[in-house]
Amino acid sequence: MTRTRLLRTTACAVLPALAAAHAAPVAATFGPLRNRVMPRLAGRGSAGHVALTFDDGPDPRSTPLFLRTLAERRVTATFFLLGSQAHRSPGLVRDIAAAGHEIAVHGWLHRPLLLRGPRATHDDLARARDAVGDLTGRAPALFRPPYGVMSTAAHLAARRLRLTPVLWTCWGKDWTASATPQSVHRTVTRDLRGGGTILLHDSDCTSAPGAWRSALGALPRILDTCAERGYEVGRLRDHGRP
């Protein structure tokens, strides 16, 4: 066997195994499995608390409206910011922090990490972490991958950067053009349990134009439902342990 043929044969045997290892964490994307066997990754906390989280901001068109509603209800939340968005609206990032909300990282760009190698993954998370930390004076501790899809490279990069990955237990599917405040409220509360983590979006930068309005319209009703069920709503930082 020639050297070239040997290398080709070895590559054909090794590359599928490497690809499988890289993609193995995708199993966590399946919500019921994640909620049952990966409580920390799913964002499970103490039974009397619900963590409220927002992705894809900050957005000067929409995020201030969410901040106003949260201030009126005296509720704090966790905002998973895109580094590119934070770079465009640094004052808004400071406003979020000044209001007492927790700021976390959603990556620099909203691109699937499954399609990125280890170096690109690390650089994307590090750039977002450093940008957000410089703006707030506090290094973020939490990370949520775009689309909720982790990879082995993402887990390794997060560990090196001291970022804890957190997904969610219920979402509003508020990113679609067909979403309404009623559908978002119904979808969130269908799976809402004590100790859960809610995912909403305060920006439409990666969603249907204007989709954030459905989440904003649903937010007061979601908070009312949590209160009716006896759940305290707040940041992941205050979520406790399952």
Side-chain angles (χ1 to χ4, degrees):
M1 181 181 293
T2 66
R3 182 178 179 182
T4 300
R5 186 175 179 182
L6 176 61
L7 291 175
R8 184 181 300 125
T9 301
T10 302
C12 289
V14 172
L15 289 178
L18 292 176
H22 178 67
V26 171
T29 306
F30 182 59
L33 174 65
R34 178 176 73 243
N35 294 345
R36 177 171 295 185
V37 303
M38 308 172 193
R40 188 176 184 186
L41 180 62
R44 299 289 304 176
S46 57
H49 191 269
V50 167
L52 178 61
T53 69
F54 296 93
D55 283 7
D56 292 358
D59 190 324
R61 300 170 302 165
S62 51
T63 301
L65 301 178
F66 285 86
L67 295 178
R68 183 184 306 168
T69 297
L70 293 172
E72 291 171 351
R73 301 297 293 261
R74 298 184 180 180
V75 171
T76 53
T78 299
F79 285 78
F80 286 88
L81 305 184
L82 288 170
S84 55
Q85 291 286 102
H87 180 69
R88 295 188 187 101
S89 302
L92 188 50
V93 176
R94 298 188 185 99
D95 289 344
I96 297 171
H101 302 292
E102 181 179 23
I103 293 184
V105 171
H106 199 36
W108 182 264
L109 295 174
H110 200 281
R111 294 177 180 172
L113 296 180
L114 195 61
L115 303 180
R116 295 185 173 194
R119 178 63 180 271
T121 298
H122 179 274
D123 290 350
D124 181 89
L125 298 191
R127 187 180 183 188
R129 181 202 62 173
D130 293 346
V132 169
D134 288 345
L135 288 172
T136 63
R138 179 173 184 169
L142 304 178
F143 158 66
R144 178 175 288 161
Y147 307 104
V149 178
M150 291 292 290
S151 66
T152 297
H155 277 292
L156 295 174
R159 179 177 297 181
R160 287 181 61 189
L161 296 169
R162 298 183 179 180
L163 293 169
T164 300
V166 181
L167 300 183
W168 58 85
T169 63
C170 56
W171 59 8
K173 294 186 178 180
D174 54 346
W175 59 86
T176 67
S178 60
T180 65
Q182 293 73 26
S183 73
V184 172
H185 174 263
R186 182 173 60 251
T187 305
V188 166
T189 55
R190 181 182 60 204
D191 297 321
L192 181 62
R193 304 289 185 276
T197 292
I198 298 171
L199 164 62
L200 297 173
H201 295 79
D202 63 305
S203 170
D204 63 5
C205 70
T206 64
S207 307
W212 58 267
R213 299 181 188 279
S214 63
L216 181 64
L219 183 55
R221 291 188 62 196
I222 292 172
L223 296 177
D224 288 342
T225 299
C226 289
E228 292 165 3
R229 297 184 184 182
Y231 303 146
E232 180 184 0
V233 180
R235 307 168 297 187
L236 279 165
R237 184 189 305 164
D238 308 316
H239 203 28
R241 294 287 184 177

